[in-house]
Amino acid sequence: MDNSRILKIMFPLDIKSLSMVERVCSILIYTVPLLLLAILTYINLNEFFSIVIWILYCILFSPWFYYILDYERLEKKYKIMSDIRFGSTYEFLSKLMVFSVPGIIIAIITISYFLNQLNLGIILSSAFIVPSLALYFRNDVFNDGSCIEGEEIILGYIPTWYGLLSLVAGIYGYFNAFKLSNLTMAITLGLITLIFQILFVIPDKFNKILSFEVRRKKGCIVLLISLIIIFFLISMILGSYGINFNNIDFSFESIIRKFVIWIIAIILVILFARKIKDID
């Protein structure tokens, strides 16, 4: 086997050119050495967690392994490469992100169990539900067809932006709700987080009521930044109700630190707003 073939197996970017045996070898290259390392760690340190980490690694990367082994069928079903721009189709990106979710959830819950934070792990895992369901079932929105306006190719409803921001909002909101000692405020923040998670994955609904085109880059950024700012402001307001004011640091140093952080945040928002005006 020549060097170029070995490189293709080690870095399987052109999967079509690899035989099934070569694809299996590519997977084994990235799993077997780590398995041996995990076994040696277990033998020398009697640390079972190393085996667990290897199992979690395989679970996390199982969608990629499946993609390598079943490339032709996936290409036929989802059309992996886009005809209108560089990279994968929005349909396939959506499915690839969703297929990765079960492994991520299992990893989060497993690690949180070992850290004696199982409840927190379950709460954080719930943040994946809304974006996963939206990206999987909303094929009529998150597709390459959304990138076509007349004869022009535009941004469209890019699943990585909307899906990941919905996920980040969920993790941030549920985590902060989990920390609140006030049960009413915690439930309220949890519900607000759920609502905003949904808002992040229905850009087509906003496109019907807003005066600008959400499928274009400028409109998309304006929509997402607006949702982010509103969500974080509401989260901060609700979170303040759960604060024990007796424990707040009112020292001069603390006040200056908070003041500087807020000034920097405001400056960044202003600079970003100005930058939006220059986007085509």
Side-chain angles (χ1 to χ4, degrees), residues 128-147:
F128 289 84
I129 295 176
V130 169
S132 297
L133 292 177
L135 293 183
Y136 187 82
F137 289 107
R138 306 206 72 204
N139 297 322
D140 57 327
V141 176
F142 300 107
N143 56 50
D144 275 20
S146 67
C147 303

Side-chain angles (χ1 to χ4, degrees), residues 177 180 182-192:
L180 289 177
N182 188 315
L183 181 59
T184 302
M185 289 298 105
I187 294 174
T188 302
L189 180 55
L191 291 175
I192 293 293

Side-chain angles (χ1 to χ4, degrees), residues 249-264:
D249 185 3
F250 287 106
S251 65
F252 178 77
E253 181 182 351
S254 176
I255 294 174
I256 291 297
R257 187 186 306 116
K258 291 180 174 62
F259 177 78
V260 170
I261 291 174
W262 275 103
I263 288 297
I264 292 174

Side-chain angles (χ1 to χ4, degrees), residues 109-125:
I109 293 178
T110 302
I111 294 174
S112 64
Y113 171 78
F114 278 96
L115 297 176
N116 295 319
Q117 294 287 338
L118 182 59
N119 291 337
L120 179 59
I122 294 173
I123 292 294
L124 294 181
S125 297

Side-chain angles (χ1 to χ4, degrees), residues 56-74:
L56 290 177
Y57 163 81
C58 290
I59 293 174
L60 283 171
F61 283 91
S62 58
W64 172 253
F65 299 153
Y66 175 66
Y67 168 73
I68 293 176
L69 295 175
D70 209 19
Y71 179 88
E72 284 75 17
R73 191 183 71 83
L74 292 173

